[in-house]
Amino acid sequence: MQIDHSEFQDQLVRGLAHRMNNILTLFHGYVGLMLDNGKLDKPTTDGLKKIQDGARAATELMDRTHSLVRPTTVVWREIHLGEFVQLLRPGFESFRGAKTNIELEVEQDLPNIWGDMSRVKAAIIELVRNACDAAGSGGTVTISIHGDEPAPNVSCAAQPIRWVCLKVTDDGPGVPTELDEKIYAPFFSTKKMKNSAGLGLAVAQGSVQQLGGLIRHRSVPGRTTFEMLLPSRGA
């Protein structure tokens, strides 16, 4: 049976992620056992902890890379975006700096969307992670959700009348105009942070497109907003 090129790429990434995670599981297991040995000297222990940190970073990278491909199974259901973000909110703590504020604003009587929870989760997490990185310590990230968004000016075979919009705004330095298109490319990053993979916006955009939505942004120095628009269940 002939496989189209995009499906071949998806299978390749899935297979690579699976094999790499198997290898990394060995790293986690054996390094953990060695660290349990109380007789190791400090330089050896410190070195093993660095290996452990590297293995964790590699595992996260493979998980995020896997998010770029189309899912093999998708479970569509009604999702209240405001309630869903509330459930995800504790996980945002690991992204923010010591003094970064994360604020949430949800419109009353928000209509449900129709989507796959894993794809919605991946997009939201990456947008919030990206905003926290941009805001830095002491900055503010605002997540706002509202419904009844007018249809964006995009070509779509079945254009819904209304959309639900999730906006993530940070007060960081902004996105230069010349990078407007590049920032969504896999492995492109403007960050000088350690372990920056340049996958966040690519994962977010791919996940939202799989849900029949879109991502767009507006940016000036001191204020950048990424908007995730998803079709309303009531459209």
Side-chain angles (χ1 to χ4, degrees), residues 56-68:
R56 286 173 181 157
T59 298
E60 180 184 358
L61 176 61
M62 293 312 303
D63 288 342
R64 295 173 77 189
T65 301
H66 188 264
S67 297
L68 290 170

Side-chain angles (χ1 to χ4, degrees), residues 135-148:
S137 182
T140 299
V141 172
T142 303
I143 306 167
S144 60
I145 309 171
H146 60 90
D148 204 33

Side-chain angles (χ1 to χ4, degrees), residues 50-223:
K50 289 181 179 179
I51 294 173
Q52 191 176 53
D53 290 342
R56 286 173 181 157
T59 298
E60 180 184 358
L61 176 61
M62 293 312 303
D63 288 342
R64 295 173 77 189
T65 301
H66 188 264
S67 297
L68 290 170
V69 305
R70 294 169 296 182
T72 54
T73 58
V74 177
V75 180
W76 294 88
R77 65 186 69 187
E78 288 194 49
I79 302 171
H80 188 283
L81 208 51
E83 295 174 357
F84 190 53
V85 172
Q86 287 281 16
L87 292 174
L88 297 177
R89 190 170 185 175
F92 300 159
E93 294 299 309
S94 62
F95 305 148
R96 70 183 188 92
K99 297 181 180 180
T100 305
N101 296 315
I102 299 180
E103 301 175 354
L104 177 61
E105 303 168 355
V106 181
E107 183 182 83
Q108 296 294 321
D109 301 321
L110 193 68
N112 291 339
I113 64 168
W114 184 247
D116 172 67
M117 293 183 74
S118 65
R119 298 293 94 187
V120 177
K121 177 181 177 180
I124 294 171
I125 283 178
E126 294 299 349
L127 289 180
V128 175
R129 188 203 306 263
N130 180 73
C132 287
D133 288 347
S137 182
T140 299
V141 172
T142 303
I143 306 167
S144 60
I145 309 171
H146 60 90
D148 204 33
E149 179 77 8
N153 185 24
V154 295
S155 58
C156 180
Q159 180 76 268
I161 299 172
R162 295 295 176 184
W163 302 66
V164 175
C165 181
L166 180 144
K167 297 181 181 181
V168 183
T169 301
D170 67 74
D171 55 4
V175 179
T177 304
E178 63 270 19
L179 299 182
D180 277 349
E181 298 299 326
K182 291 182 179 180
I183 59 174
Y184 296 101
F187 305 109
F188 177 83
S189 178
T190 60
K191 303 181 182 74
K192 297 181 174 59
M193 301 168 58
K194 184 180 179 181
N195 296 328
S196 179
L199 283 175
L201 293 177
V203 169
Q205 185 182 61
S207 297
V208 171
Q209 287 176 345
Q210 290 164 13
L211 295 164
L214 69 129
I215 285 181
R216 60 191 182 190
H217 72 276
R218 299 188 304 273
S219 183
V220 294
R223 183 178 178 84

